[in-house]
Structures are given as C-alpha cells and as structure tokens.
Amino acid sequence: MEKNRKIKTFHISTYGCQMNLADSSTLVAGLITRGYRRIADESQADLIILNTCSVRDKAEQRILGRLGEISAYKRKRPYLRVAVVGCMAQRWGDKLLEKAPHVDYVLGTDRLFELPDVLEGIEGTSPVMTAFGHENMDALAPAMETSFAAFVTISRGCSNFCSYCIVPYVRGEERAHSADGIVDSIKRLVDEGVVDVTLLGQNVNSYRYGECDFPALIERIAGETDIQRIRFMTSHPKDLSRRLVDVMAAEPKMMPHIHLPLQSGCDRILQMMGRGYTLQQYRQIIDYIRRRLDYVSLTTDLIVGFPSETEAEYQQTLRAVREIRFDAAFMFRYSVRPGTAAAGYRDDVSEEDKIRRLNQLIDLQQQIGAECNQREVNQVRYGLIEGVSRRSRRYLRARTESNKTVLFSADGRLSPGEIVPVRIAEADAYTLHGQLEEAN
Ligand code: SAM
Ligand code: SF4
C-alpha cells in the first residue's frame, strides 16, 4: 500500500550545462501543470528527479554517488520514486538499472518531457525510454530562469561531432525550433515580465530554420519583440559569421558577451579534435569582434591533456590564452568518452600531467581575468538585479551587459528585475563590486 502511494511532490537536481537547466525548467513547468508540487527538501519528496550530465566521466561518477545516497532514502521510504533523465539516462539506457536497481524511470534527452505521462502510466509510455525522434519541438515551452530572465532553446542536439565530445551521441543531431515559434515565445515571456533572454544551443551559429539563419533570427527578435536584452550561447568559431558581429554592433539590445570555445592553442590538436579552424582563424574572428564592438567580454572553454598533447603543444595553449586575454574561461582536463572518435586514441597524457597543466592554466587565467576586470573599474555598467548576494544580504547582485556579476550595496528601494547603473569600484577575477550611480 505504502509502496504504491500516489506521487504528489517532486524534487529535481540538475547537473551540467545551461541546456540541462533549461530542460529542467521545461520539465518542472510540465509537472506543475499536471498537478505535481515541487518541494525544496529532497528527503520529503515522493519523486526525486536527477537531470544528468555525461560530458565528463567525473560528472557521471558524481551522479552514481548521488544514486547511492538516494538508495538509502528508498529503504526508509519504499514509496519513493527515482527518475534519472537527460544525457546519462540516454547514454546508459536500461544498463543504468543494473548499476542502480532502485531507479524507477530512465528517460533520455528526447523523452524526459514525457515524465508526467510515464508517471500516470499513459499508454505508449514505459519506465525506460531513450529512442530519438519523439520530441515535439513546438510544444516545448521556453524555460524561465527567474521571473525576469529566461533561457530560450533555439536548437537541440549537435552535428559537429568534435572527436572528444559525447553531446551529439546523447542529444542527437542538431534540429532547430521554428523562428516564428521562438519569436512568439519571447513575446509571451515579455508579457510575463521577462527583460533578458539567452538563446541557447550547442552551436547557435549554425542555427537555420528555412531561410532564417542566426543573425536573421536575432534581427527578428530585436525588431518584433519588446525584449530589452538578448544574449546567446554557445558559439562555434567555425560558424560565427562577420554578419553576426555586425548585427551585434548595430543592435543595442544585443549584450556584449561572446562565449567562443577555443579548446586548444595548437593547430595539430585542434585538427585531431575535429574543430574545423586553426588558431590563426580563431584570432581573426577575435580581432574582428574587438574591432567592431568597443566593449565586449570574451569567454572560452579549454581542454588540456588531449591524447598525444606534448608539453610544447600545451604551452601553445598557454601562449594563446596570454595573447587573446579572455575575461573568463571554463577549463577542463581531457576525459575519455566511450563511443567518441577520440576514445580510439591512446589516452597517453598521465593524470598527473593533466592535473598540473590544468592547475597552471587556471592560475594564468585567474590572473588575466582579474586584470580584465580591473579595466572595468571607474566605468558605469548597467546591471540587471537578480537578487541579494549569496555571501551577504547587505549587497544586491546584478548581471552586467557583458554577463559579469556585480555586487553593490542596497538601500531597500530596489528590487530584482530592475536595470540600474552601477559605478565599478573594485574587481577580482570573478566579481565586480560597485556603488549605485545616482541620477543627478
Ligand atoms: N556546445 C558547446 C561547445 O561547443 O563548446 C558546449 C559543449 S560541452 C557541454 C562544454 C565543454 O566541455 C566543451 O566546450 C569542452 O571544452 C568540454 N568537454 C567536452 N567533452 C570533453 C571531454 N571529453 N573531456 C574534457 N572536456 C570536455
Ligand atoms: Fe560537443 Fe563540439 Fe558539439 Fe560543442 S560543438 S557540443 S564540443 S560536438
């Protein structure tokens, strides 16, 4: 009896990238519409959902660790249901049930939105579903991040097949949402009070729906909606066009931030990674961006210890980072992903060398990030207030045009969702600190 108790409440944990956060928001909205209640305390939930990441082995190990903890809950509360959804569910399929028999539902990246149907045993659904080709692209609601900033997924999957990357296997090939659907979603979000949207895709620059490519999509969103701030991620250097940069330069709604993963500063490694550009081509894009946009923040992703990467080749990555001067970077050590092309190469850089290279790279980037942020000092930036600082309630936290976090003292008059001028007074590698610039 207790075992078959009806599910009323759920708790969701999300791992990995913004795309997963966006998927979780869409799933949460679907569950709430069907009458389920989201709760913050996992130990009280009837259903625990893990929306998972497979991009590195460490991410999967962490989730397996969490599943171990959850199995202890289940012994105490036999009615508890456990759903593993997203990338790891896609990769493992029913093999996950051998590893973690207390898991009840395994829904892949195309099927997670069907969770409410699965819970209700609707015909045609089953507890393990990973086949592609089932999603209804237009029925997927845009995801809300807060009540005034939202992620809008413009494309799902990826067709680039970078040799190290699991994403095309677990998320399928790239498919685009219709431009009309995206514009309508953003209009609806604006009506609900959203002022800032981030357009999401694994490679937004290759977006195409009929005649509409990515720069044209941005022009439509800027022209046809009253959204105040438009952002996008992630860009791919082989597809980022000069026309997109020109649109950014001409359109005040476009926020000056580009996340452009370089991955390596060595052409031989870039070629083995299947990235489709050389360091020189990457530099040319950066030069064009910096020529056309007076103020822009550039961030990147970097991998160290790719198979066969020599010390000298790794040094080329350090040199590129010193030369290009990114505002911030996500830095990783290479992790073999079964089934990818690079899994066929010998993973011959020792863990010790990977860790040393990564730590050195992080130290260098931290210093450069701090120097880039120092250049913000004395400038006035317009911050969208997100809430109070996580460290001290005396400070408000806002996001600047270039996607940096700025903290400033609050006097009780301001509230989340407002865009306010802040004069930057101090900066470290990760955060800006400032004061509200009072209007004269
Ligand atoms: N589509 C985006 C892109 O192209 O950058 C994001 C892909 S992935 C979720 C985010 C980052 O994880 C990649 O840019 C890459 O730096 C890193 N990554 C992917 N596979 C990896 C692997 N096998 N080992 C280490 N890092 C990896
Ligand atoms: Fe992975 Fe490359 Fe696609 Fe990014 S562009 S998701 S790194 S395959």
Side-chain angles (χ1 to χ4, degrees), residues 158 160-162 164-165 167-168 202 236 263 275:
C158 182
N160 286 319
F161 291 90
C162 300
Y164 51 80
C165 185
V167 170
Q202 296 296 343
H236 195 303
Q263 310 298 2
R275 291 288 291 175

Side-chain angles (χ1 to χ4, degrees), residues 7 93 96 146 185 223 240 263 285 295 320 353 371 374 392 397 407 421:
I7 295 170
L96 192 62
T146 61
S185 303
L240 191 149
Q263 310 298 2
I285 307 165
Y295 169 57
D353 279 342
E371 286 165 11
Q374 272 305 314
S392 161
R397 189 184 76 244
L407 304 180

Side-chain angles (χ1 to χ4, degrees), residues 240-258:
L240 191 149
S241 64
R242 290 188 170 212
R243 194 158 85 78
L244 173 64
V245 182
D246 295 343
V247 169
M248 290 182 77
E251 178 48 67
K253 291 181 178 178
M254 290 307 300
M255 292 296 105
H257 169 222
I258 300 183

Side-chain angles (χ1 to χ4, degrees), residues 152-313:
V152 172
T153 302
I154 63 164
S155 60
R156 301 180 65 80
C158 182
S159 302
N160 286 319
F161 291 90
C162 300
S163 66
Y164 51 80
C165 185
I166 196 84
V167 170
Y169 303 92
V170 292
R171 286 192 162 273
E173 297 237 3
E174 181 176 325
R175 55 264 180 224
H177 282 276
S178 80
D180 286 347
I182 294 167
V183 170
D184 286 348
S185 303
I186 295 175
K187 283 184 183 162
R188 274 199 304 277
L189 289 168
V190 171
D191 289 344
E192 289 165 22
V194 168
V195 294
D196 182 318
V197 285
T198 303
L199 309 176
L200 280 187
Q202 296 296 343
N203 174 1
V204 287
N205 309 119
S206 57
Y207 175 88
R208 174 168 285 280
Y209 193 89
E211 291 297 295
C212 185
D213 64 4
F214 188 57
L217 177 68
I218 289 206
E219 283 176 327
R220 278 199 60 184
I221 295 169
E224 295 175 33
T225 78
D226 291 326
I227 194 75
Q228 294 181 42
R229 296 181 151 198
I230 306 171
R231 308 173 184 279
F232 55 86
M233 71 186 310
T234 295
S235 286
H236 195 303
K238 76 175 169 55
D239 295 311
L240 191 149
S241 64
R242 290 188 170 212
R243 194 158 85 78
L244 173 64
V245 182
D246 295 343
V247 169
M248 290 182 77
E251 178 48 67
K253 291 181 178 178
M254 290 307 300
M255 292 296 105
H257 169 222
I258 300 183
H259 184 67
L260 192 63
L262 169 63
Q263 310 298 2
S264 167
C266 165
D267 287 343
R268 189 185 74 87
I269 297 292
L270 284 173
Q271 194 177 11
M272 282 182 78
M273 287 176 162
R275 291 288 291 175
Y277 54 85
T278 60
L279 177 62
Q280 182 54 15
Q281 286 164 333
Y282 186 93
R283 279 195 194 106
Q284 284 165 353
I285 307 165
I286 297 282
D287 287 348
Y288 190 72
I289 294 170
R290 287 190 165 144
R291 256 201 331 272
R292 294 289 283 126
L293 308 175
D294 310 330
Y295 169 57
V296 63
S297 150
L298 292 169
T299 57
T300 200
D301 292 351
L302 297 159
I303 298 176
V304 298
F306 187 81
S308 79
E309 182 190 68
T310 64
E311 201 58 32
E313 288 171 331

Side-chain angles (χ1 to χ4, degrees), residues 24-40:
S24 285
S25 303
T26 304
L27 175 58
V28 166
L31 284 163
I32 290 173
T33 311
R34 297 280 277 270
Y36 299 96
R37 192 159 54 82
R38 182 182 189 172
I39 59 172

